[in-house]
Amino acid sequence: ISFLAGEACLYSVIKRSALSLGWKLVGEDASEREKRNCHVIWVDRSFVNDKLFLSIQPWQRINHFPGMTNICRKARLAQSLEIMKKEFPREFSFHPTTYVLPQSFGTFK
């Protein structure tokens, strides 16, 4: 199994874990073909370029998914939940009123 652990793989524990499993580490210095054909792609940044998702093959795995920042950032999650609550009040009544400051400052007061 080849493991793309380039500049986006920030933590050495991830690379050590892959090596302990016997996986081959592929770094930034590898050929584009070798990087494109990795079985596992690891990204430790919250933003992942959509082009990466468009080029991924069915047999490849990545530790992110498109739109992940919309649920992993508290402010974005709160905004999304509020939008859904307006559309589906009964189904989205499970979370407390949330304020994203400074946008919600008037309501927050």
Side-chain angles (χ1 to χ4, degrees):
I1 293 180
S2 57
F3 183 85
L4 180 58
E7 64 183 29
C9 183
L10 305 176
Y11 306 104
S12 61
V13 67
I14 301 298
K15 294 175 186 176
R16 287 193 315 266
S17 297
L19 285 172
S20 74
L21 292 169
W23 295 0
K24 176 187 173 195
L25 289 187
V26 176
E28 290 299 320
D29 55 340
S31 71
E32 286 302 311
R33 183 176 186 275
E34 194 175 8
K35 287 192 271 189
R36 268 195 322 269
N37 290 319
C38 282
H39 297 94
V40 178
I41 301 165
W42 193 272
V43 180
D44 284 324
R45 296 190 175 117
S46 60
F47 175 77
V48 178
N49 189 329
D50 285 341
K51 282 191 254 180
L52 179 60
F53 292 114
L54 294 174
S55 65
I56 234 162
Q57 300 300 311
W59 48 267
Q60 292 177 304
R61 299 294 178 253
I62 186 169
N63 66 317
H64 284 270
F65 52 88
M68 193 167 159
T69 55
N70 290 322
I71 61 169
C72 293
R73 299 274 184 209
K74 287 185 271 185
R76 301 278 292 279
L77 175 61
Q79 291 165 337
S80 296
L81 286 172
E82 286 301 319
I83 290 168
M84 293 303 289
K85 189 174 188 176
K86 286 177 187 167
E87 200 64 33
F88 306 101
R90 199 176 96 238
E91 290 85 351
F92 282 83
S93 62
F94 61 88
H95 66 94
T97 303
T98 306
Y99 304 96
V100 179
L101 302 176
Q103 296 93 332
S104 304
F105 193 72
T107 315
F108 179 66
K109 285 177 145 184

